[in-house]
Amino acid sequence: MSKLNAIADGQIATVLANAGLTVILMTAPWDGNGIIMSSILKGFVSRYRNVSFCVADYEDSPRLTRLFNLTAPPGIIFVKDGEMVERLTGPVNASRLNELLQVAA
Amino acid sequence: MESDIFKVFILEDQQLDLELNKRQVRKYRPEVFFAVARNRTEFEEKLVAFQPDLVLSDYNLPDMNGLEALLYVREHLDATPFIFITGVLNDEEKVADTILSGASGYLLKENLYKLPELLATVVIQNSEVMQRREREWEQRKEQQTSLRKAIGQLREADFDERDRIIADLQKIADHLS
């Protein structure tokens, strides 16, 4: 299973400048739902090669949490060309994520 | 704006106008995060979730007008700065009504090149409001994160009634989100 790219506050400008789709999972070690969603996203990496899949630590990335308006993990944000395309909070199942990826990728 | 990234919500149904708006906003602040709505449904779905620093809105949209959008923002996002960008808001009386209804400013599309200047003025005028919203957001975040973290830690513990207590706390946490 492929890995997600680990990002933090320092990569915000890079994410916003990417013309393609970036999918960011924000989670924490104590966030059970986020750990499950991380596995789901890893399963999509090889299927959607044109999408950049990333993960950020919720507590270590205060600028990202503010930018994405996340007051608690987990959250998944789709960003394309500096625009928020989708924002999901709480647990999300694989089929729902796959539907959204097909539309946005 | 704690994140230093300017968050702008644009309500605009014309793709070309949308791109022109974005270009002018980037002239004011290169690091910007956008959310876009092209109709009422998208507007109501995305606005509160995005929590913008500022809203730019066309006046005439297919299924709503700019004043309705402004009232929605005032109801759900308090005093978030709101600017009309329109091709038709050229009647002085209408302009006065719009400003009195709580818009932070307006711009005709033919004068769109003035948007960076207007954004600078509006941001300065509303800096106190924006700072207050930041403080309130930080408080909300701290409370919700503490609660979720406590639930996560409880899952690791072993004691009577653990599952019931977790379920009760989870219900409260889900309600707060």
Side-chain angles (χ1 to χ4, degrees):
Chain A
M1 196 175 276
S2 306
K3 279 186 174 180
L4 307 177
N5 299 316
I7 62 165
D9 286 349
Q11 279 82 51
I12 289 178
T14 310
V15 169
L16 295 183
N18 183 13
L21 179 64
T22 305
V23 175
I24 303 155
L25 166 67
M26 298 212 63
T27 183
W30 43 266
D31 172 28
N33 288 321
I35 292 165
I36 295 167
M37 287 160 72
S38 172
S39 298
I40 293 172
L41 283 185
K42 284 174 186 169
F44 287 130
V45 172
S46 57
R47 204 184 310 175
Y48 294 95
R49 294 192 179 278
N50 57 337
V51 177
S52 174
F53 288 93
C54 304
V55 62
D57 186 283
Y58 177 83
E59 288 188 288
D60 291 343
S61 310
R63 292 177 70 213
L64 278 167
T65 59
R66 180 66 189 105
L67 188 67
F68 301 146
N69 184 34
L70 288 175
T71 51
I76 293 185
I77 292 85
F78 289 30
V79 180
K80 198 174 191 176
D81 198 18
E83 183 181 322
M84 182 186 81
V85 179
E86 200 65 61
R87 176 181 171 277
L88 307 160
T89 56
V92 185
N93 64 43
S95 59
R96 174 72 180 138
L97 274 171
N98 194 33
E99 280 172 15
L100 294 170
L101 281 165
Q102 283 179 352
V103 173
Chain B
M1 288 171 284
E2 192 63 35
S3 67
D4 300 323
I5 308 288
F6 196 38
K7 293 177 67 176
V8 177
F9 194 102
I10 303 180
L11 178 57
E12 173 60 75
D13 63 318
Q14 301 294 323
Q15 188 62 29
L16 179 61
D17 288 340
L18 172 63
E19 294 305 325
L20 292 172
N21 287 347
K22 282 183 173 182
R23 189 185 302 174
Q24 291 301 325
V25 174
R26 284 187 169 119
K27 281 183 184 173
Y28 165 66
R29 192 84 68 88
E31 287 199 340
V32 59
F33 189 37
F34 291 105
V36 174
R38 292 164 182 83
N39 53 50
R40 182 191 293 271
T41 305
E42 286 183 2
F43 179 67
E44 294 181 359
E45 273 176 7
K46 292 182 180 177
L47 180 79
V48 176
F50 187 65
Q51 291 284 316
D53 294 314
L54 184 139
V55 177
L56 299 178
S57 174
D58 189 9
Y59 194 86
N60 291 299
L61 293 142
D63 58 354
M64 72 188 302
N65 67 46
L67 271 179
E68 289 174 299
L70 171 60
L71 293 175
Y72 190 88
V73 169
R74 288 291 163 265
E75 187 180 345
H76 293 88
L77 292 181
D78 193 18
T80 300
F82 187 106
I83 295 174
F84 283 114
I85 298 180
T86 179
V88 297
L89 195 67
N90 48 12
D91 177 272
E92 279 188 21
E93 198 173 325
K94 204 187 245 181
V95 171
D97 279 350
T98 302
I99 302 295
L100 287 173
S101 299
S104 313
Y106 79 96
L107 204 58
L108 296 177
K109 286 184 177 176
E110 63 192 48
N111 294 330
L112 196 59
Y113 67 93
K114 292 181 179 174
L115 183 59
E117 193 184 327
L118 179 60
L119 287 173
T121 305
V122 168
V123 166
I124 289 169
Q125 283 172 345
N126 289 274
S127 60
E128 215 167 286
V129 169
M130 292 160 115
Q131 281 167 16
R132 193 188 72 222
R133 288 185 59 225
E134 286 299 324
R135 287 194 297 273
E136 290 170 356
W137 189 87
E138 285 296 336
Q139 281 175 357
R140 269 205 318 277
K141 179 194 165 191
E142 203 179 307
Q143 290 166 356
Q144 292 193 27
T145 302
S146 298
L147 182 54
R148 300 268 180 185
K149 202 170 179 176
I151 293 169
Q153 287 163 344
L154 275 177
R155 287 188 203 282
E156 304 295 316
D158 185 20
F159 58 91
D160 290 343
E161 305 244 1
R162 185 195 70 165
D163 291 346
R164 185 188 59 77
I165 292 169
I166 289 174
D168 286 348
L169 289 173
Q170 190 68 53
K171 220 180 282 178
I172 294 167
D174 291 344
H175 180 71
L176 286 173
S177 305

